[in-house]
Amino acid sequence: MKSFFTTLLLIVIIVLALGFVFRDTILDDFGFGAVAEKPVIYLYPEEECEVHAGLELNGEMTVSYPAYPADGWTVTASPDGTLKDAGGRTYDSLFWEAELDADYDLSRGFCVAGTDTAAFLEQTLAVLGLSETEANAFIVYWLPRMQDNAYNLITFQSDAYTDAAELNIEPAPDTVIRVFMVWQALDKAVDIAEPTLPAAPARDGFTVVEWGGAEITG
């Protein structure tokens, strides 16, 4: 009888372990649970003012700077993008990362040789509305992980990302530009339908810009 219960216990442990393995594999395959890396938020009001920025995440925030209070950031923002907290410390952006439960769409995208990645991002980020300064920061962060791959499958997400990471700004901005790249390293080129990128809105009035991304592995 003791041997029976020992065997049964081992079977339960193995089943549970396999369940976690298959769960992680499924999440990776579909992009669920991928870490949203380096989203940074820039605030450009028309005149200096106090701004509140909050996030409603379908997931869990893992890091932020400045530290994210329970009710969101409150900063004094200047037209040049400089942000100042209540203690007088200045920042150029608000940074956060999170493990998001988002169903990213990789059915359409761009297959780009690793050596062409910098040029591709320079051109594409301009189309999507990032300034040269913002695009430079984006490229400096991601390029070291992409340029040495044979190819990269690169997508830019819209609703799948914004639904999982809702951004609430007060006072309400006139223009919002959110660029979120989901990509995967490839050993060889693949044929994939390329999407038509949306034209970036003109930066009229109080403008909020955010960029970030997630790497799909496995």
Side-chain angles (χ1 to χ4, degrees):
M1 182 63 69
K2 181 178 180 181
S3 175
F4 170 78
F5 283 112
T6 300
T7 302
L8 183 61
L9 178 60
L10 287 173
I11 292 173
V12 171
I13 292 172
I14 291 170
V15 169
L16 289 174
L18 287 174
F20 281 114
V21 169
F22 286 122
R23 174 183 177 275
D24 290 342
T25 301
I26 292 170
L27 294 182
D28 285 342
D29 286 346
F30 290 91
F32 300 154
V35 175
E37 293 186 50
K38 196 69 189 310
V40 288
I41 302 166
Y42 304 89
L43 306 173
Y44 303 106
E46 292 185 285
E47 58 186 32
E48 185 177 288
C49 64
E50 184 175 274
V51 178
H52 178 78
L55 289 159
E56 294 184 22
L57 302 177
N58 187 10
E60 182 177 355
M61 187 177 294
T62 55
V63 64
S64 61
Y65 186 77
Y68 185 84
D71 59 348
W73 293 288
T74 298
V75 294
T76 299
S78 298
D80 66 357
T82 300
L83 311 177
K84 184 181 296 185
D85 65 16
R89 190 174 185 87
T90 59
Y91 311 85
D92 62 5
S93 61
L94 304 172
F95 160 72
W96 64 278
E97 288 189 352
E99 293 182 357
L100 294 180
D101 186 359
D103 189 3
Y104 298 130
D105 180 8
L106 274 68
S107 64
R108 299 171 67 86
F110 303 91
C111 183
V112 181
T115 53
D116 296 335
T117 301
F120 170 82
L121 290 177
E122 287 173 353
Q123 179 179 3
T124 305
L125 295 176
V127 172
L128 294 173
L130 295 192
S131 69
E132 286 191 0
T133 299
E134 295 155 1
N136 287 347
F138 183 111
I139 293 168
V140 166
Y141 181 80
W142 289 108
L143 188 60
R145 291 161 57 177
M146 302 176 75
Q147 66 179 357
D148 294 329
N149 300 329
Y151 292 90
N152 295 297
L153 173 60
I154 299 174
T155 72
F156 293 94
Q157 303 292 313
S158 55
D159 292 350
Y161 170 66
T162 57
D163 288 349
E166 184 178 343
L167 180 59
N168 300 305
I169 305 289
E170 291 292 339
D174 301 294
T175 305
V176 178
I177 299 172
R178 304 184 76 185
V179 176
F180 193 79
M181 175 181 72
V182 174
W183 66 282
Q184 186 173 35
L186 302 174
D187 294 328
K188 58 184 179 180
V190 297
D191 290 326
I192 187 168
E194 294 188 356
T196 300
L197 295 175
R203 296 193 179 202
D204 294 328
F206 175 21
T207 298
V208 174
V209 178
E210 180 196 55
W211 65 257
E215 178 185 5
I216 303 300
T217 60

